[in-house]
Amino acid sequence: MAQLLHPDFKAGITHAEATAADKKTHDLLMEQQDALKAESWDYAIALSIQMRENQLRVYKPGSSPIGGTWNALGSIYKQAGRLQEAEDAVEKGLAIYAAVCDYNEMSMARETLAAIKEAQGQFDEARKVRLEGKDRKEISCTSDTCPWTSVPFRMENGGLSKMFALEELKQCAACKAAFYCSKRCQKHDWKTRHKPLCQKHTGAV
Ligand SMILES: [Zn+2]
Ligand SMILES: [Zn+2]
């Protein structure tokens, strides 16, 4: 009996083909973890592109897994300081999520894009991107170590991160472009990421 595959897969793909492709993606991801730890950005980027080619053999080009790979590539470009390429990749991921109405992934991808905008010094854009989730109460916390977007939380919560209404979040008083679910998240992001960007933007250095 033919097993029904998730609709993200292309028509006519067999269960064996899908499983083999997912295993290969997993292996490439593991290899990429090592490359990221070693800060071998070019190699990590090459692995992302290889991952997408592998996924495209079985997944529809407009499916959420492909969107995820675009986003992950955007994050790596960002870490590598290649901000324009980072933005282009995340925009591709966002377009896919929008088309398939994957609001949770969209919320997290918007946060990635907003962080890229901050790194480019475009704080008005960063604020605008983050607030795109306002009407649906789907704003992600700005901290990249927020417990509500962490992998363990998402694994327990059907793959979904927690999203917030604007009133639930504290905004950075200086730039008003960053939004936090807790004091802990705000403090941590200030210490590890936001401070130099925010001070440069507001001229507080
Ligand atoms: Zn948080
Ligand atoms: Zn700020």
Side-chain angles (χ1 to χ4, degrees), residues 52 66-67 70-71 86-98:
R52 188 173 65 245
I66 304 295
W70 277 116
N71 270 335
E87 185 179 335
D88 293 346
V90 177
E91 292 277 18
K92 287 201 176 87
L94 269 168
I96 291 174
Y97 292 145

Side-chain angles (χ1 to χ4, degrees), residues 79-107:
Q79 284 172 270
R82 291 163 66 172
L83 297 177
Q84 187 55 54
E85 288 156 294
E87 185 179 335
D88 293 346
V90 177
E91 292 277 18
K92 287 201 176 87
L94 269 168
I96 291 174
Y97 292 145
V100 299
C101 301
D102 192 336
Y103 297 117
N104 198 262
E105 292 289 349
M106 252 175 110
S107 169

